Every structure is written in C-alpha cells, then in structure tokens.
Amino acid sequence: MSLETLTHCPVCQGTSFSNYLNVEDYTVSKKEFTIQQCNACYFLFTNPRPPMAEIGAYYQSQEYISHHDEAKDIMSRIYTSVRNYTIGQKIKLITGLHAGKGSLLDIGCGTGNFLQAVKEAGWVTTGTEPDEGARKIAGKRVGENVFESINASELTTQKYDIITMWHVLEHVHLLNETVEWLAEHLNPGGKIIIAVPNPQSPDAARYSRFWAAYDVPRHLYHFTKDSMALLMKKHDMRVEKIHPMWFDSFYVSMLSTKYKAKKVDLFDSIKTGLMSNIKGNSSASEGLNTSSLIYVISKI
C-alpha cells in the first residue's frame, strides 16, 4: 500500500520535523510507522501515513472493537463493560453543559451505543460513521439514518447544541477542514466535546513505543493539551474545560502489555493504570494528565 507524506504541520504549517518515535501497527499490518514532531509547535503526527482512500484496510480487524458488537475475548468484554458505564458519565457531562434537551451530533458513532443512550435521554440525535458495517448496526440501533460523513448533503444546513467526537479526531485526515466544519455547525452557546489519547500521560511514558493508544497508522495525530489549544485557537475556538477518562489508563495498559510481551500482564496493567491516574489527577484542567482527556470547546 502507498503512503502519503505531509510536508507542512497541520497545526502551524511549519516545515521542519524531527522523528519522535517509531511504532509498530500491532493490530493489522504489523508494519512500523514513524511519529514525527513539528519543530515549531511540537505537534505530533504520524508521517508518512496511508492516504484517505487506503486507510480503510487498516481497520479490517476483529480486534477493532468499536466497529463490532461482539464481545468474544477478555479484552472486548472489558471494553464493552467499561463502555456501558462511561456512556452514563458522558450523558451527565452533556446535560451539565446544556440546559434542557437539545440537538446532538455524534461524529464517528461506531455501532451507536452512545447515540442510542442520548436519544433515550430525550435529545434530537444525528450520527455519522464511515465504517459501513458499524453504520448499519448504529442505524438499526437508533432507528434512524446514520450518515457516512459530515459531508452528507442532509447535514449542510444543520446546526447543533452539542457535537461529540469520542476518540475520533485523531483518525481524521482533513484535520483543519473538519475543525472548521465543527465551528460552522455549532449553535450559539453550543459546545464541542472531543476525547483523544494523551501522549504526555504517565502510562504513555511507561510503555513508550508499545503504548497502545498510539495505534498507528489509524491514529494520524497525537494531541497534547498545548497542541489541542493551538489547533482550536487557529479556528477561533477555545478549550473551556478538560476532564479525565479514568478507565482508559487500565484498558490501554492491558493492550500495551499484550503488545510488549505477547500476552496481557494484568498486575502490571492495574499498577500502571492506577499510578497513571494518581500522577495525572489534578483539580485544575491545566494540570490533568490522564491517559485520555476530554476537551470541552466553544467558539471565542
């Protein structure tokens, strides 16, 4: 498969990069990919990378659980159990950001579990999902059409009170175009919620090139708090608040030990997950440093 090479930083348009880390694709291709760092703004991105037309092949794995409903092994069963709990936490976050029931767009909705819960909570929902199989499951689950992408003609004039991207923005080839679309389709006073892995977390430092949340080449970008703030500022938006994702450190640690030693080390996973959460905990948004972070974003 061919690869494309970025010559300009997606955040600052800089042209000078340094190699940051070489990471294997442990899920599908078993090939090694390079994560580069912009020497101007320090943004991390996978470069070179599969082009948009060919990236789909790197998602064709039963291990990519967000595109499937089956819980066949211990990792997928754990993922499903945690997902069901965290959906409730996500609903609480959303209702705290918007008085009453509003309209919500979930970009990259997977098999639609979160979208279904939001709809049952009384919101008017819309979903997008590029994977055909997951999209069909989501459509049946929520009882309405789920679109392939935000470029669907039906969404051209729509605006929303809440737009969510749960572990999605790191997958998007057209980064700036997508963020610009988000800003244009947000109602006055609306919020964008973006959850992404945090490569500055203690568990990322512990596992280095084995850290599962690098997930190359599917993860095209690796956002720090500073680079997320810079990207949003570029599009006249700002990060209002950052929240932790406590469970991610344990799930990512389990996958990381599997990648490193060919089997899950439960003791090491729990120990690393706990230490990562303890070290990454903070009462202030700017101090949070957990395995994954949730950014609440608004227009300036």
Side-chain angles (χ1 to χ4, degrees), residues 55-163:
I55 192 70
Y58 291 91
Y59 287 88
Q60 301 308 310
S61 170
Q62 283 299 118
E63 293 185 34
Y64 206 75
I65 186 63
S66 66
H67 285 176
H68 306 279
D69 263 2
E70 306 93 340
K72 294 182 177 180
D73 57 23
I74 186 170
M75 294 304 298
S76 56
R77 288 197 296 270
I78 290 171
Y79 175 92
T80 301
S81 298
V82 170
R83 178 187 63 192
N84 294 339
Y85 172 79
T86 56
I87 282 174
Q89 302 304 110
K90 292 172 182 178
I91 298 292
K92 288 181 181 179
L93 172 61
I94 289 163
T95 54
L97 293 173
H98 186 273
K101 311 303 180 186
S103 56
L104 180 142
L105 169 65
D106 186 30
I107 299 174
C109 68
T111 54
N113 300 83
F114 168 71
L115 204 60
Q116 179 187 30
V118 176
K119 185 176 182 178
E120 290 175 352
W123 287 66
V124 176
T125 59
T126 304
T128 73
E129 171 53 50
D131 182 80
E132 183 179 6
R135 187 167 66 248
K136 288 180 179 178
I137 295 171
K140 291 179 181 178
R141 176 165 276 137
V142 299
E144 59 190 43
N145 191 23
V146 172
F147 301 98
E148 183 175 358
S149 77
I150 56 175
N151 297 317
S153 59
E154 293 90 340
L155 306 184
T156 302
T157 60
Q158 299 299 311
K159 293 196 175 186
Y160 304 91
D161 298 308
I162 300 284
I163 301 175

Side-chain angles (χ1 to χ4, degrees), residues 225-226 240-242 282-289:
K225 287 177 289 186
D226 286 344
E240 278 192 359
K241 183 75 175 176
I242 305 175
S282 174
S283 58
S285 284
E286 58 270 17
L288 275 171
N289 199 33

Side-chain angles (χ1 to χ4, degrees), residues 41-291:
C41 73
Y42 306 110
F43 185 47
L44 298 172
F45 51 98
T46 304
N47 196 37
R49 67 193 193 179
M52 193 186 306
E54 298 183 25
I55 192 70
Y58 291 91
Y59 287 88
Q60 301 308 310
S61 170
Q62 283 299 118
E63 293 185 34
Y64 206 75
I65 186 63
S66 66
H67 285 176
H68 306 279
D69 263 2
E70 306 93 340
K72 294 182 177 180
D73 57 23
I74 186 170
M75 294 304 298
S76 56
R77 288 197 296 270
I78 290 171
Y79 175 92
T80 301
S81 298
V82 170
R83 178 187 63 192
N84 294 339
Y85 172 79
T86 56
I87 282 174
Q89 302 304 110
K90 292 172 182 178
I91 298 292
K92 288 181 181 179
L93 172 61
I94 289 163
T95 54
L97 293 173
H98 186 273
K101 311 303 180 186
S103 56
L104 180 142
L105 169 65
D106 186 30
I107 299 174
C109 68
T111 54
N113 300 83
F114 168 71
L115 204 60
Q116 179 187 30
V118 176
K119 185 176 182 178
E120 290 175 352
W123 287 66
V124 176
T125 59
T126 304
T128 73
E129 171 53 50
D131 182 80
E132 183 179 6
R135 187 167 66 248
K136 288 180 179 178
I137 295 171
K140 291 179 181 178
R141 176 165 276 137
V142 299
E144 59 190 43
N145 191 23
V146 172
F147 301 98
E148 183 175 358
S149 77
I150 56 175
N151 297 317
S153 59
E154 293 90 340
L155 306 184
T156 302
T157 60
Q158 299 299 311
K159 293 196 175 186
Y160 304 91
D161 298 308
I162 300 284
I163 301 175
T164 56
M165 298 183 80
W166 303 107
H167 286 291
V168 170
L169 190 62
E170 63 268 34
H171 296 263
V172 174
H173 276 76
L174 301 177
L175 181 61
N176 286 286
E177 294 86 343
T178 298
V179 175
E180 190 63 31
W181 191 97
L182 298 178
E184 291 174 354
H185 289 77
L186 196 63
N187 276 330
K191 309 293 182 187
I192 300 166
I193 300 174
I194 296 175
V196 289
N198 173 25
Q200 292 182 325
S201 65
D203 52 295
R206 166 75 173 80
Y207 294 115
S208 187
R209 64 188 181 91
F210 297 105
W211 190 54
Y214 283 127
D215 198 25
V216 294
R218 290 160 295 279
H219 288 189
L220 307 174
Y221 316 104
H222 313 276
F223 295 97
T224 65
K225 287 177 289 186
D226 286 344
S227 61
M228 180 65 76
L230 280 172
L231 177 63
M232 293 306 145
K233 184 179 180 181
K234 180 179 179 180
H235 295 276
D236 297 319
M237 296 194 287
R238 65 185 180 95
V239 176
E240 278 192 359
K241 183 75 175 176
I242 305 175
H243 298 277
M245 298 190 81
W246 299 117
F247 288 100
D248 278 30
S249 63
F250 299 103
Y251 182 74
V252 168
S253 292
M254 282 189 284
L255 278 178
S256 300
T257 61
K258 180 181 178 182
Y259 295 162
K260 186 175 183 178
K262 309 305 179 186
K263 63 178 181 179
V264 174
D265 185 331
L266 196 58
F267 175 77
D268 186 78
S269 302
I270 293 173
K271 181 181 71 172
T272 301
L274 282 171
M275 290 307 299
S276 185
N277 284 342
I278 291 169
K279 291 179 180 179
N281 189 20
S282 174
S283 58
S285 284
E286 58 270 17
L288 275 171
N289 199 33
T290 53
S291 189

